[in-house]
């Protein structure tokens, strides 16, 4: 019963964030009325598969349900989920690891990590890694 309420609440928030992310992308592409786009069946005319994947990833990140980014957390998460007793030991491993990552990112360690990614990304010529580093630095400052 309690887990059912938890899953319902998570689904409401995840679906809402997915819709908000899709709407944000439509606005960025010049479509201010998402309902009109949906009614006319033109969603795929304005958004491609990568946009929809980004909206899904945004929603999963928002509810702490995405894969952990930190390699050891990802490995432990996969081990717990695939084993028979793993989820008895840690009932919600993704949530737990994502919460730890969020704590890491939103303090001084996030700033230092982000600065390292910016410097490494700039040296390697990777704008993606630099952008990710700037995002992590902003999270650490917040």
């Amino acid at each position: 019963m309690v887990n059912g309420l938890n899953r319902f609440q998570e689904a409401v928030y995840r679906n809402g964030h997915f819709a908000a992310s899709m709407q944000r992308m439509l606005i960025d592409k010049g479509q201010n009325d998402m309902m009109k786009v949906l009614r006319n069946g033109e969603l795929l005319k304005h958004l491609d598969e990568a946009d929809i994947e980004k909206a899904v990833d945004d929603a999963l990140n928002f509810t702490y349900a995405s894969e952990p980014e930190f390699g050891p957390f990802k490995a432990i998460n996969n081990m717990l989920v695939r084993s028979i007793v793993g989820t008895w030991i840690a009932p919600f491993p993704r949530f737990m690891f994502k919460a730890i990552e969020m704590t890491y990112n939103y303090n001084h360690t996030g700033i230092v990590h982000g600065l390292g990614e910016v410097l490494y990304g700039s040296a390697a010529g990777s704008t993606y890694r630099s952008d990710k580093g700037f995002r992590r630095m902003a999270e650490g400052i917040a």
Side-chain angles (χ1 to χ4, degrees):
M1 173 71 176
V2 174
N3 195 33
L5 295 173
N6 180 45
R7 291 178 62 101
F8 172 74
Q9 174 255 341
E10 182 180 49
V12 168
Y13 278 91
R14 189 176 295 161
N15 289 338
H17 197 80
F18 174 78
S21 183
M22 296 281 280
Q23 186 171 17
R24 235 182 347 267
M25 284 186 266
L26 283 170
I27 289 171
D28 288 346
K29 295 185 179 197
Q31 295 298 320
N32 293 329
D33 190 359
M34 181 173 158
M35 294 310 294
K36 180 180 173 187
V37 170
L38 290 173
R39 264 189 248 110
N40 294 336
E42 299 176 340
L43 184 65
L44 295 178
K45 178 180 171 186
H46 301 288
L47 298 177
D48 58 11
E49 192 173 323
D51 293 329
I52 295 169
E53 270 184 42
K54 178 163 179 6
V56 169
D57 290 343
D58 288 347
L60 289 173
N61 278 330
F62 181 71
T63 56
Y64 296 91
S66 62
E67 277 279 319
E69 293 178 19
F70 186 52
F73 286 173
K74 190 183 291 189
I76 295 168
N77 176 61
N78 290 336
M79 181 189 66
L80 288 170
V81 170
R82 290 187 179 130
S83 72
I84 296 172
V85 296
T87 53
W88 288 355
I89 296 167
F92 304 102
R94 277 188 182 179
F95 177 84
M96 179 178 64
F97 291 131
K98 290 302 283 185
I100 294 169
E101 283 181 355
M102 194 266 316
T103 303
Y104 174 84
N105 288 335
Y106 281 90
N107 63 48
H108 64 282
T109 55
I111 297 170
V112 173
H113 188 147
L115 182 61
E117 283 188 345
V118 168
L119 295 174
Y120 178 77
S122 297
S126 169
T127 57
Y128 170 75
R129 187 154 189 146
S130 294
D131 291 345
K132 190 175 174 186
F134 282 121
R135 179 185 55 82
R136 195 178 300 263
M137 285 173 60
E139 289 172 355
I141 292 169

